[in-house]
Amino acid sequence: MSIKIDILGVGISAPGIPDWNGLRAVLDGEPLSSEHELPQTSLLSPRERRRAPATVRLSFAAAEQACAMAEISPDRPAAVFSSAMGDAELADYMCRTLAECSQPLSPTRFHNSVHNAAAGYWSIGTGAFADVTAVSGWNDSAVAGLIEASTRAATGSGPVLLVVYDDYGQGPLTRVWPVRQPFSAALLISAPSTKNHSLAHLALRASNARNQHPDLPAALLERMADNPAARLLPLLALLAGTGPAAITMAAECGSGLHIEKIRA
Amino acid sequence: MTVTCAAGAGLDAIRRSLYAQASGLRANDFADCNLSTWIGRVDGVERVPIAPSMRDYECRNNRLALLGLEQDGFAARVASVRKRFGAERVACVLGTSTAGIEQSEQAYRQPEHSNRFGSRLAHNPHTSTRFVAETLGLAGPVMTISTACSSSAKVFASAARLIDAGLADAAVVGGVDSLCLSVLHGFNSLELVSQQPCRPFDRDRNGLNLGEAAGFAVLESDPSNSIGRLLGWGETSDAWHMAAPHPEGRGAISAMQTALASAGLEPAEVDHINCHGTATPMNDRIEAGALRHVFGTPPPAVSTKAWTGHTLGAAGIVESVFSLLAITDQRIPASLNCVEPERDWSDFILRQARPASVRIVLSNSFGFGGSNCSLLFGAP
């Protein structure tokens, strides 16, 4: 039994990859730079932008691109924010502040430390009353997010935004979170419909097979090894390619997905 | 199903506490924490041994998870489900908010002992889901929901979708959240913590008590020995504030209405409500208003947090199990510590336990980030 979904929009933001066209250029052989200019979101008020943690800016950059490409207002879709670690910077802040006992925790930084902070700010910023959820699968966060978003799209009534993101580590916490390059990517997913202008039509089924995908440029493989969110790259390459193709996104723990691109 | 929380390890111990009106809360005695408050700590978590093969998962959250799996024959029950469907067809979907951060808190306090940092498998939101999936030998989709205090309510919806979509035939759902300095001091910084035992819906309530718990259930379609049925659910966002609920309870109202619509039920068909009921002045007032809006005259409603403390990412599973116990036992517990209910708006809060015909129960869980989840459970 497979799940069938349409991909209506894509977004990506990472060092050297400012957007979808940037990724296509790298896939076509352009060199990958380390420059990362994160755009400022227009969805939050200046006050909220000051209060929001760094994961908001990182995840929103990809999410807004995917909504724009799909021509879907950001407040409409249900949304799934998937991240291996959540906010490593705030985890470092809290552990450090608690260890030093020198000052009380900042209430704002504490409530921003929840794993669903980016999801919460997305609901606040877009005015979305639909469900905006937050998941994690550690190294399997890309495929876990895709499973949650595609089962929602297949069993629900509307489009679903998937945002997969993880930021770099800092402080002593780099011992458990050594990620060096931030990465975020987003997909706008819907149940199949002839009315959709879809980028691709996919069939997904659970699979416990190993990772399988065509060769990617070495620089992108490095990103996949560095940051769990970048493990979405084989799927993005599948979407960028022409013609039918199939990949397997394996999970380290539990089942992953076999993904077949049936048509563009 | 099973739950381990301050009110007891396993259903028999919890039933004894419920019947004896015995709260599991105690004056704060959490290690290295001098806050004046009450907590719902689970006895003996520190001493639960992690098997050598699972050393990389060493942290308080996973010790608590293991203690929880050992109760009520739960692991054996899952083994039979695994045998029936095959490991690859059984998913594992758990909720948490704290996960293994306590391990890193300890490491930062002893910088000379950098080896006190857990492995990369300990401090991350997914640690306990992976630990439980590996312990139980599950090989279907493995996923963590971490939406603060609605986390382990939402696992029921996510797992039901996995089964509906054909990615699994059954799922272990639940949640694990453990006490740590981050949440004790963090909620204190937000001025949401009470110095006394919490008093949900009471006129003099003045904040919550933090707690810890591990709870699990097996979800499958059309089981032969069902304890209860998941009739419907509603998941919504407030689009309002990171730490404060919408003032008119807009997201809470739509979560309950969505749950009722998805179950095809009228409000009058609900027999009992297990509220989010944290005992903060604002949560209880807004939730009671939302209940009035949806139900008019709500059925007997309780908060069970004065038994357990607010177990955050585990609150959803704890209160789902309490809801199912009300159906199994045909008995509604009292809303403990609600001595003087708010006269104008909390008169429907049940202050005395009573036998009752309970066929349909609503359980509410609301979290930071404006994340709301209402679940409807029914008799099998």
Side-chain angles (χ1 to χ4, degrees):
Chain A
M1 182 170 169
S2 67
I3 303 174
K4 299 202 171 52
I5 55 168
D6 282 353
I7 303 296
L8 308 185
V10 187
I12 184 168
S13 181
I17 317 173
D19 54 25
W20 181 234
N21 284 333
L23 176 64
R24 295 180 77 117
V26 176
L27 288 168
D28 286 342
E30 294 280 321
L32 182 60
S33 82
S34 58
E35 280 172 42
H36 197 206
E37 279 281 324
L38 268 179
Q40 194 55 271
T41 178
S42 59
L43 292 172
L44 295 173
S45 68
R47 182 170 173 271
E48 285 162 342
R49 281 206 295 260
R50 277 195 304 277
R51 289 165 66 92
T55 53
V56 165
R57 204 163 157 184
L58 175 63
S59 58
F60 279 31
E64 290 181 57
Q65 289 175 28
C67 292
M69 188 190 287
E71 296 179 355
I72 286 177
S73 175
D75 65 335
R76 230 189 91 206
V80 176
F81 281 69
S82 184
S83 164
M85 189 60 177
D87 201 316
E89 181 193 355
L90 286 179
D92 171 64
Y93 158 77
M94 290 202 300
C95 290
R96 195 161 25 83
T97 307
L98 290 164
E100 289 166 357
C101 297
S102 55
Q103 51 189 336
L105 286 179
S106 145
T108 302
R109 301 194 86 185
F110 169 66
H111 70 56
N112 280 351
S113 75
V114 293
H115 190 69
N116 61 322
Y121 277 100
W122 180 259
S123 160
I124 293 166
T126 61
F129 294 101
D131 188 41
V132 182
T133 192
V135 311
S136 175
W138 185 232
N139 286 339
D140 305 326
S141 287
V143 73
L146 184 60
I147 288 171
E148 170 73 3
S150 52
T151 52
R152 277 172 182 261
T155 60
S157 54
V160 179
L161 171 68
L162 168 66
V163 193
V164 180
Y165 68 96
D166 264 298
D167 215 338
Y168 63 95
Q170 23 193 316
L173 210 59
T174 49
R175 284 189 186 86
V176 293
W177 184 245
V179 170
R180 289 173 293 112
Q181 308 271 18
F183 187 94
S184 75
L187 297 174
L188 210 303
I189 299 171
S190 84
S193 159
T194 50
K195 285 182 287 182
N196 293 336
H197 302 284
S198 74
L199 203 67
H201 180 70
L202 305 178
L204 280 53
R205 60 178 168 77
S207 167
N208 290 67
R210 295 159 64 105
N211 273 319
Q212 196 176 6
H213 57 81
D215 277 348
L216 294 177
L220 292 180
L221 293 175
E222 279 172 30
R223 295 293 174 86
M224 287 175 65
D226 175 55
N227 187 326
R231 296 188 186 190
L232 199 66
L233 279 167
L235 174 57
L236 300 179
L238 181 82
L239 297 174
T242 53
I247 60 168
T248 301
M249 287 176 70
E252 286 179 8
C253 176
S255 56
L257 289 173
H258 179 271
I259 304 170
E260 191 179 353
K261 183 179 172 187
I262 296 170
R263 58 175 165 77
Chain B
M1 63 180 180
T2 184
V3 158
T4 292
C5 62
L11 299 181
D12 287 345
I14 286 170
R15 277 195 176 97
R16 281 197 296 277
S17 296
L18 286 177
Y19 281 63
Q21 303 267 340
S23 168
L25 297 172
R26 67 179 85 196
N28 178 25
D29 59 356
F30 191 70
D32 301 317
C33 182
N34 56 7
L35 287 179
S36 172
T37 182
W38 287 57
I39 59 171
R41 184 166 71 75
V42 175
D43 276 323
V45 176
E46 305 78 13
R47 296 186 298 278
V48 175
I50 301 278
S53 60
M54 302 293 260
R55 270 291 146 68
D56 283 350
Y57 289 101
E58 190 97 41
C59 65
R60 184 177 183 86
N61 223 59
N62 291 334
R63 280 189 281 270
L64 179 55
L66 194 55
L67 185 63
L69 288 175
E70 288 165 356
Q71 311 304 319
D72 297 307
F74 187 78
R77 159 117 179 101
V78 172
S80 80
V81 171
R82 196 184 61 209
K83 197 170 169 195
R84 190 146 42 96
F85 293 109
E88 294 180 4
R89 297 298 298 170
V90 184
C92 185
V93 188
L94 303 184
T96 189
S97 72
T98 59
I101 194 172
E102 202 242 357
Q103 199 70 24
S104 295
E105 288 175 3
Q106 287 189 28
Y108 273 68
R109 291 159 75 87
Q110 292 158 307
E112 70 277 17
H113 298 301
S114 61
N115 61 350
R116 288 206 175 247
F117 274 97
S119 88
R120 292 189 63 187
L121 289 174
H123 177 175
N124 72 75
H126 194 51
T127 181
S128 295
T129 315
R130 215 173 134 146
F131 174 73
V132 168
E134 288 189 13
T135 301
L136 297 175
L138 308 180
V142 179
M143 189 191 331
T144 299
I145 311 289
S146 186
T147 53
C149 308
S150 63
S151 303
S152 62
K154 292 169 76 68
V155 297
F156 284 91
S158 289
R161 282 187 289 262
L162 284 174
I163 295 169
D164 280 357
L167 291 185
D169 293 321
V172 170
V173 297
V176 190
D177 231 63
S178 51
L179 285 165
C180 59
L181 297 177
S182 296
V183 295
L184 285 159
H185 287 279
F187 276 93
N188 190 56
S189 77
L190 287 161
E191 299 177 353
L192 294 174
V193 172
S194 175
Q195 297 194 3
Q196 294 98 31
C198 67
R199 285 165 287 177
F201 296 106
D202 189 274
R203 191 185 301 175
D204 296 324
R205 72 192 180 286
N206 61 5
L208 55 79
N209 302 141
L210 289 153
E212 60 188 353
F216 306 98
V218 174
L219 201 65
E220 56 177 290
S221 51
D222 200 23
S224 48
N225 299 314
S226 170
I227 296 162
R229 295 176 61 208
L230 176 65
L231 301 175
W233 61 84
E235 298 171 283
T236 64
S237 301
D238 272 1
W240 178 256
H241 188 272
M242 275 306 292
H246 186 278
E248 276 98 47
R250 179 174 171 164
I253 288 168
S254 74
M256 289 187 266
Q257 289 175 335
T258 304
L260 288 163
S262 76
L265 290 171
E266 295 298 322
E269 294 177 84
V270 176
D271 299 313
H272 164 50
I273 298 167
N274 190 305
C275 302
H276 189 53
T278 59
T280 65
M282 192 156 59
N283 174 83
D284 291 7
R285 181 172 51 78
I286 291 171
E287 185 176 9
L291 288 167
R292 283 245 186 262
H293 182 95
V294 174
F295 289 91
T297 303
V302 307
S303 164
T304 43
K305 287 197 167 63
W307 263 285
T308 62
H310 188 357
T311 60
L312 308 177
I317 185 67
V318 169
E319 288 151 32
S320 293
V321 170
F322 281 9
S323 299
L324 289 161
L325 278 181
I327 293 171
T328 312
D329 296 0
Q330 293 291 288
R331 180 182 185 277
I332 305 178
S335 197
L336 192 66
N337 292 357
C338 181
V339 179
E340 292 279 345
E342 289 276 6
R343 199 172 299 138
D344 296 339
W345 49 257
S346 63
D347 53 312
F348 57 88
I349 299 297
L350 193 67
R351 285 180 294 148
Q352 290 285 329
R354 69 172 191 225
S357 170
V358 184
R359 292 194 55 78
I360 296 170
V361 183
L362 175 81
S363 179
N364 280 339
S365 298
F366 309 133
F368 279 2
S371 176
N372 310 294
C373 184
S374 295
L375 300 173
L376 276 164
F377 294 102

